[in-house]
Amino acid sequence: MKSAVVLALAASSSSALAGAVKPPQQLNKRALAHSDPFYPSPWMDPNADGWQAAYAKAKEFVSQMTLMEKVNLTTGVGWMGEQCVGQVGAIPRLGLRSLCMQDSPVGVRLTDYNSVFPSGQTAAATWDTGIIYQRGLAMGQEHKGKGVNVMLGPVAGPLGRSPEGGRNWEGFSPDPVLTGIAIAETIKGIQDAGVVACAKHYIGNEQEHFRQVGEAKGYGFTIAESVSSNIDDKTMHELYLWPFADAVRAGVGSVMCSYQQTNNSYSCQNSKLLNDLLKNELGFQGFVMSDWQAQHTGVASALAGLDMTMPGDTEFNSAKSFWGTNLTLAVVNGTVPEWRIDDMAMRIMASLFKVGQTVEQPPINFDSWTLDTYGNIHMAAGQGYQQINWHVDVRANHGSLIRDIAAKGTVLLKNNGALPLNKPKFLVVVGEDAGPNLQGPNACSDRSCDNGTLGMAWGSGSANFPYLVTPDSALQAQAIQDGSRYESILTNYAASQTKALVSQANVTAVVFVNADSGEGYINVDGNEGDRKNLTLWKNGDDLIKNVSSWCTNTIVVIHSTGPVLVTDWYNSPNVTAILWAGVPGQESGNSITDILYGKVNPSGKTPFTWGATRESYGTDILYTPNNGAGAPQDDFSEGVFIDYRYFDKKNTPLIYEFGYGLSYTTFEYSNIKVQKSNAGTYKPTTGTTAAAPSFGNFSTNLADYLFPKDQFSWVWQYIYPYVNTTDAKAASQDPHYGQTADQFLPPHATDGSAQPLLGSAGKSSPGGNRQLYDVMYTITADIKNTGSVTGNEVPQLYLSLGGPDDPKVVLRDFDCIRIDPGQTSTFRAQLTRRDLSNWDPVAQDWVISSYPKTVYVGRSSRKLELNATLT
Ligand code: NOJ
């Protein structure tokens, strides 16, 4: 039998504790980016907006907990130790079952009778906050119905720095305001359903390559540490942190720290990121959980602000943990102060209570590791045979919502009058992307292939399809109903048959093509998560060029995880319409049929730019290590200039700009008005916090922490909080055990005294200083539907901040408004103080510059028909 006591692996190294990694000698060729230390880790604020009641309940619960129970709550039981992708230890004495963390941001992962929703990126393309909220609510309800406590989503990291980024589809948009609004609405929806949302991956997780050392080895690179995203303070605040601020303000219960390093310090032990930016400046009151195996140290991560380790073991099934036993020892010997573990427990419990969960929890009724009804509940150990799947159907009527989101998230990029279709005489559908995966929609685990239509991309952000309506089946049904003739060729490689078919008289050809991507642990067709190029997969470009050379009415539908290069064919007169249908989920065929036939008038706007060349984006993935065997260095030297901001800066011609999308009707913009509100002057927050509270006390006698052999039998590889000997050094198995704390702890790391409040931080206001969200201007404009059908329009408010280092314009607000033909509606948008400010790295606060500011209202980032100067 293996020992239940775990190794004290790398409990500390002073550089890691300081939140910065000193470059090893051989890497000293260049000065590596550095992350400043920030200690102590901020503790919860009992008066924080929206958290008071949850705090009070948590305090009552945590006050009854023993140290071992607190450790249990913070430490995962190990990979595949229980039913969910992550679970922590139970607190049976107080009636709390093991908490369940489950993917994904598109539906409940690894189970059955769940729905598959459109991707975050597709939802963002609706620009419809109401429907984005509904999507979050429905996904939350499904997780709730399965017994999930924490849903591992939504995503704002990656933001989408490079269009090739493998997981961009899981998030929303490279624009921080669109992502910020979308993540906040999604979080509200999920948490209104009684499930804790998890904003991930915090932060700078902009590529899959080199996010993990082991993974990199798998594709042939030996590196000592994960890639470092090197991000300056201004870019951090104005771009990458922005949507996380919105997530915190929306009350998100948990945040997942990411795999990679930021400024050469691992995100899950980076005190600048966790203690300072997230908990201090943004006033985050929930808990930070690690991504799976993203924890690299024990004490260091605890003091830097990590609150829960997932899945609990150092590496999958290592039977060792940085926490568990080691956290017990660290608290007993004072290396981790009592208030810090109390704060971890408080944050976790308060998040549950905040969303309405109680100590008594509904059971977890599914198992991630098998769909069999019976099996081992401790899958890794092969122990505990019992019923593990109840096959609970949680889908309700979400199918119609899914159909609607994917239709409204479809962007009409080109239309020469070919659409909407009206009982076409002969409809021909061409392309593998219109058809099924012949082995079934769930044949490839975690959707690790691109066979048939792209309803979902790959990785942990996936879920099993309950069914997948293909474009072929839905369009055929529509054609039959209309009395159209219908044929389809569901391969990209039948040139002669395709030519013979689409060259016939009266053909309306719809060509379906795609481009896929996903998470870095899976390689599909040479793409290590990140795409290796921006071209269509499976010869899609040739397919389009061929069909459009044979057929004068060729409509193109693209399913993809981001922009693709359409340069070679989009302008062909025979390509009569182009649609981007994103990653649509289970109702794919119905959604695209609704759009093609005008049952839903398109109103989607592209949430990213379509450049003419790959190079024109100015950013790309770092595909090859650039620092010898050390951590690859990914310098975000473009600053805030990603996507449209870069194209605008360089004045580069492009194909379809950010925010662009057509409708079957037309809209006219007029009459911009600006109203200034009296928001008063900004006052940086002053004062101090209370001292760190601690709840209860604990024994320092290790005999009290021995594994209770007489009470239950030990599960193989399971992570426990116990020790197996009262000799601390032996229990830790750490040769350095016994060093006094001041030999390796950074200054202030254990200081529980009252701390000064940051100027930019709020007083009890998650999201930052309350005044940052004061409305300073209200802008209105008239939008008239000048066409003949009802449609939704998405008017967009952009701002020029006016400085030499500012983007030409930045998105600041938008709405999705339904307008009947001939009618005029008022678009109303707001500018807050944060919207008008820049981050000042010297003042360490948001400051409104003296540069002249102009607002624009328009239908895309480059069609800004109305403007006004702000006074
Ligand atoms: C790793 C992924 O990065 C994360 O998004 C996911 O939630 C966890 N694995 C758990 O599956």
Side-chain angles (χ1 to χ4, degrees):
M1 184 169 115
K2 280 200 184 177
S3 163
V5 174
V6 292
L7 282 173
L9 285 179
S12 67
S13 89
S14 58
S15 56
L17 278 163
V21 175
K22 273 202 199 131
Q25 218 59 54
Q26 73 272 22
L27 308 176
N28 233 348
K29 290 177 213 118
R30 54 184 282 195
L32 297 186
H34 171 90
S35 189
D36 288 334
F38 185 94
Y39 297 94
S41 187
W43 38 91
M44 275 195 85
D45 173 358
N47 302 316
D49 292 353
W51 288 84
Q52 296 97 333
Y55 184 96
K57 283 186 195 162
K59 183 177 171 188
E60 198 189 317
F61 187 84
V62 173
S63 300
Q64 302 170 55
M65 293 173 83
T66 65
L67 172 58
M68 276 189 298
E69 287 167 341
K70 290 171 193 168
V71 171
N72 238 16
L73 192 62
T74 63
T75 304
V77 298
W79 179 240
M80 296 174 81
E82 298 275 356
Q83 293 149 279
C84 302
V85 296
Q87 282 185 232
V88 291
I91 322 282
R93 191 181 64 86
L94 298 177
L96 184 71
R97 69 146 166 78
S98 159
L99 302 177
C100 165
M101 327 305 144
Q102 189 71 9
D103 297 304
S104 82
V106 297
V108 195
R109 182 182 174 209
L110 299 170
T111 182
D112 50 15
Y113 303 97
N114 59 280
S115 306
V116 171
F117 291 79
S119 67
Q121 199 181 44
T122 311
T126 66
W127 300 61
D128 180 337
T129 52
I131 212 167
I132 292 172
Y133 170 85
Q134 289 300 330
R135 173 177 173 272
L137 182 68
M139 292 195 301
Q141 286 163 343
E142 297 204 8
H143 280 83
K144 182 89 187 165
K146 292 281 183 185
V148 174
N149 298 96
V150 182
M151 173 181 147
L152 302 176
V155 172
L159 186 67
R161 174 177 180 249
S162 307
E164 298 83 359
R167 300 183 76 177
N168 292 354
W169 64 284
E170 290 187 50
F172 299 100
S173 162
D175 182 85
V177 169
L178 179 52
T179 291
I181 291 173
I183 199 169
E185 290 304 318
T186 307
I187 287 163
K188 288 180 205 159
I190 293 167
Q191 298 199 156
D192 283 353
V195 174
V196 177
C198 178
K200 68 185 189 183
H201 307 85
Y202 182 78
I203 196 171
N205 191 172
E206 296 295 322
Q207 66 169 47
E208 293 303 286
H209 278 77
F210 316 125
R211 62 178 193 157
Q212 280 183 301
V213 168
E215 220 169 76
K217 208 175 192 74
Y219 43 84
F221 294 106
T222 303
I223 47 171
E225 306 292 344
S226 302
V227 62
S228 174
S229 296
N230 300 328
I231 310 175
D232 65 83
D233 193 31
K234 179 174 156 78
T235 304
M236 181 61 91
H237 281 86
E238 293 184 7
L239 193 60
Y240 297 102
L241 190 63
W242 184 290
F244 282 100
D246 291 317
V248 172
R249 192 154 181 259
V252 72
S254 69
V255 166
M256 186 188 291
C257 50
S258 54
Y259 282 122
Q260 96 299 341
Q261 305 191 72
T262 299
N263 298 327
N264 290 296
S265 173
Y266 277 106
S267 303
C268 292
Q269 64 192 51
N270 185 318
S271 62
K272 173 74 188 176
L273 294 184
L274 303 182
N275 285 346
D276 191 15
L277 296 183
L278 185 63
K279 291 183 174 176
N280 194 30
E281 186 180 324
L282 299 185
F284 174 57
Q285 301 295 315
F287 65 98
V288 177
M289 91 170 72
S290 71
D291 199 342
W292 271 232
Q293 290 180 50
Q295 187 192 26
H296 295 266
T297 51
V299 170
S301 58
L303 298 179
L306 184 70
D307 302 300
M308 181 189 279
T309 170
M310 277 290 133
D313 31 19
T314 52
E315 287 177 6
F316 290 171
N317 308 113
S318 65
K320 298 168 189 159
S321 181
F322 292 115
W323 284 5
T325 302
N326 284 313
L327 189 53
T328 305
L329 286 169
V331 177
V332 168
N333 72 21
T335 324
V336 170
E338 183 188 5
W339 59 258
R340 182 72 268 269
I341 185 140
D342 284 353
D343 185 53
M344 295 178 192
M346 283 293 291
R347 286 171 178 274
I348 296 167
M349 292 310 299
S351 299
L352 301 179
F353 293 135
K354 182 171 195 298
V355 304
Q357 293 183 24
T358 54
V359 174
E360 199 180 327
Q361 294 275 349
I364 301 163
N365 57 37
F366 71 102
D367 191 279
S368 299
W369 321 114
T370 177
L371 295 178
D372 292 349
T373 306
Y374 291 86
N376 288 312
I377 196 147
H378 307 301
M379 195 57 85
Q383 286 174 240
Y385 190 81
Q386 62 172 76
Q387 181 166 1
I388 52 177
N389 272 308
W390 280 261
H391 314 289
V392 177
D393 194 334
V394 293
R395 293 172 296 164
N397 59 351
H398 297 157
S400 56
L401 173 67
I402 290 167
R403 177 176 181 159
D404 199 33
I405 302 168
K408 294 197 171 127
T410 296
V411 184
L412 180 60
L413 295 168
K414 175 178 179 179
N415 186 14
N416 283 358
L419 296 177
L421 298 177
N422 181 16
K423 298 190 168 102
K425 194 157 184 185
F426 184 14
L427 187 66
V428 173
V429 164
V430 182
E432 180 180 323
D433 183 67
N437 178 345
L438 294 180
Q439 295 171 338
N442 297 315
C444 305
S445 67
D446 291 342
R447 307 299 81 78
S448 56
C449 61
D450 181 34
N451 300 340
T453 195
L454 183 70
M456 196 192 324
W458 77 76
S460 65
S462 61
N464 291 330
F465 283 112
Y467 58 78
L468 173 54
V469 181
T470 63
D472 177 50
S473 62
L475 287 168
Q476 172 167 292
Q478 179 68 47
I480 293 170
Q481 194 186 314
D482 290 347
S484 302
R485 190 182 151 201
Y486 182 85
E487 285 195 45
S488 57
I489 296 180
L490 302 179
T491 166
N492 296 1
Y493 305 103
S496 57
Q497 294 86 342
T498 303
K499 181 176 184 186
L501 187 64
V502 303
S503 309
Q504 292 179 31
N506 306 313
V507 168
T508 300
V510 188
V511 182
F512 283 84
V513 288
N514 71 37
D516 199 359
S517 71
E519 194 176 339
Y521 66 98
I522 294 170
N523 172 324
V524 180
D525 196 22
N527 299 270
E528 304 287 357
D530 303 314
R531 282 188 281 166
K532 59 185 179 190
N533 55 44
L534 294 182
T535 51
L536 290 167
W537 287 35
K538 302 197 173 184
N539 245 359
D541 290 291
D542 287 343
L543 185 70
I544 296 166
K545 285 185 217 167
N546 282 337
V547 172
S548 60
S549 71
W550 302 318
C551 174
T552 55
N553 189 12
T554 301
I555 296 162
V556 176
V557 177
I558 303 165
H559 289 121
S560 71
T561 53
V564 294
L565 300 178
V566 300
T567 319
D568 285 356
W569 47 261
Y570 81 104
N571 234 347
S572 156
N574 288 356
V575 174
T576 51
I578 305 173
L579 300 109
W580 179 70
V583 178
Q586 70 190 42
E587 290 279 333
S588 173
N590 288 331
S591 306
I592 196 64
T593 303
D594 290 345
I595 288 287
L596 290 171
Y597 283 82
K599 290 182 239 180
V600 173
N601 188 351
S603 56
K605 306 277 183 179
T606 176
F608 45 74
T609 302
W610 298 65
T613 63
R614 180 177 181 175
E615 295 68 37
S616 61
Y617 287 89
T619 47
D620 207 329
I621 304 296
L622 182 69
Y623 293 96
T624 319
N626 59 356
N627 189 21
Q633 300 293 309
D634 198 3
D635 296 330
F636 289 24
S637 48
E638 70 287 345
V640 300
F641 295 93
I642 64 169
D643 199 73
Y644 69 91
R645 297 157 169 216
Y646 184 77
F647 284 87
D648 286 352
K649 181 180 176 181
K650 296 278 167 186
N651 214 359
T652 315
L654 43 74
I655 310 248
Y656 301 117
E657 73 274 14
F658 174 81
Y660 166 83
L662 299 170
S663 162
Y664 295 149
T665 186
T666 48
F667 299 98
E668 210 174 78
Y669 284 57
S670 64
N671 198 22
I672 187 169
K673 284 192 189 137
V674 177
Q675 203 197 331
K676 189 172 180 175
S677 356
N678 190 5
T681 46
Y682 181 68
K683 288 185 211 70
T685 303
T686 53
T688 58
T689 67
S694 54
F695 306 97
N697 46 36
F698 61 91
S699 155
T700 50
N701 178 0
L702 281 188
D704 294 333
Y705 299 92
L706 285 167
F707 187 87
K709 287 190 206 110
D710 47 328
Q711 284 172 33
F712 60 90
S713 53
W714 175 80
V715 176
W716 188 59
Q717 287 191 347
Y718 211 81
I719 305 299
Y720 294 104
Y722 308 110
V723 295
N724 66 352
T725 159
T726 53
D727 174 346
K729 187 162 185 168
S732 78
Q733 298 184 20
D734 180 353
H736 305 295
Y737 192 89
Q739 284 181 332
T740 56
D742 58 5
Q743 280 176 275
F744 65 91
L745 292 183
H748 313 298
T750 58
D751 180 0
S753 66
Q755 298 295 312
L757 291 169
L758 259 190
S760 57
K763 237 189 203 118
S764 307
S765 62
N769 193 317
R770 248 183 220 99
Q771 282 183 293
L772 293 173
Y773 300 94
D774 288 343
V775 174
M776 303 197 67
Y777 293 93
T778 301
I779 292 94
T780 54
D782 291 342
I783 319 293
K784 182 174 185 190
N785 182 341
T786 49
S788 53
V789 284
T790 298
N792 290 346
E793 174 64 341
V794 179
Q796 300 157 38
L797 178 82
Y798 291 84
L799 173 70
S800 162
L801 286 158
D805 299 329
D806 290 318
K808 191 169 170 199
V809 291
V810 286
L811 179 74
R812 283 299 186 245
D813 204 358
F814 57 85
D815 200 359
C816 178
I817 312 174
R818 186 183 166 85
I819 313 175
D820 288 329
Q823 296 300 303
T824 300
S825 284
T826 306
F827 166 55
R828 185 177 299 276
Q830 294 183 327
L831 284 175
T832 64
R833 194 184 308 267
R834 179 178 68 150
D835 289 331
L836 291 159
S837 301
N838 287 95
W839 179 256
D840 182 335
V842 178
Q844 283 294 298
D845 211 338
W846 293 95
V847 171
I848 300 181
S849 73
S850 54
Y851 297 110
K853 311 225 176 312
T854 312
V855 282
Y856 300 86
V857 172
R859 60 192 87 218
S860 79
S861 61
R862 288 199 171 179
K863 297 197 180 63
L864 301 168
E865 27 257 285
L866 310 177
N867 66 70
T869 306
L870 297 182
T871 50

